[in-house]
Amino acid sequence: MMDFAQMMKQAQIVQQKLHEADAKTSESTATGSSGGGLVTLELKGSGEMTVLNIDESLLAPGEGEVLSDLIRAAYGEARRKLEELNRQYLQEAAGELGPLGGIPKMPKFF
């Protein structure tokens, strides 16, 4: 059984790892594409779109609805990738806690 000083030391280590994971999360990026690459975009860790590329063939009159659908699809793909990447960073950081959060009878954190 772990004494209180050991628990506090472990908590500080985990806190640092979670802080590092948060920094990785904010620096991470993910790309999404749709329409076979006709629309591509990039999201930062915060979800902010930083890049949007649209093939000129979609800028023709009457293509507005198709373009909107493709942008939403590309955004959705990038968002899913970003969420998975960020989840991995947090799981890696929380790994120090062990399967039950490091404290007996506590729920698993991630």
Side-chain angles (χ1 to χ4, degrees), residues 58 62-71:
L58 295 172
E63 294 296 324
E65 189 174 336
V66 171
L67 179 57
S68 295
D69 290 344
L70 291 173
I71 291 171

Side-chain angles (χ1 to χ4, degrees), residues 91-110:
Q91 285 176 337
E92 289 170 9
E96 290 292 315
L97 293 173
L100 297 175
I103 302 172
K105 299 184 182 178
M106 288 296 288
K108 189 174 177 180
F109 293 117
F110 299 97

Side-chain angles (χ1 to χ4, degrees), residues 6-25:
Q6 287 174 315
M7 285 176 54
M8 291 303 295
K9 184 176 181 179
Q10 185 177 11
Q12 288 174 338
I13 291 169
V14 170
Q15 183 178 14
Q16 177 62 33
K17 288 189 179 250
L18 289 172
H19 178 71
E20 291 169 5
D22 188 49
K24 284 181 183 179
T25 296

Side-chain angles (χ1 to χ4, degrees), residues 77-90:
E77 178 182 294
R79 188 74 191 171
R80 284 187 297 279
K81 288 179 182 179
L82 190 62
E83 288 171 358
E84 179 58 30
L85 183 61
N86 292 342
R87 185 174 15 263
Q88 287 174 3
Y89 290 147
L90 289 175

Side-chain angles (χ1 to χ4, degrees), residues 34-39 53-64 66-67 70:
S34 62
L38 292 174
V39 172
N53 293 309
I54 301 169
D55 188 276
E56 289 185 22
S57 67
L58 295 172
L59 302 178
E63 294 296 324
V66 171
L67 179 57
L70 291 173

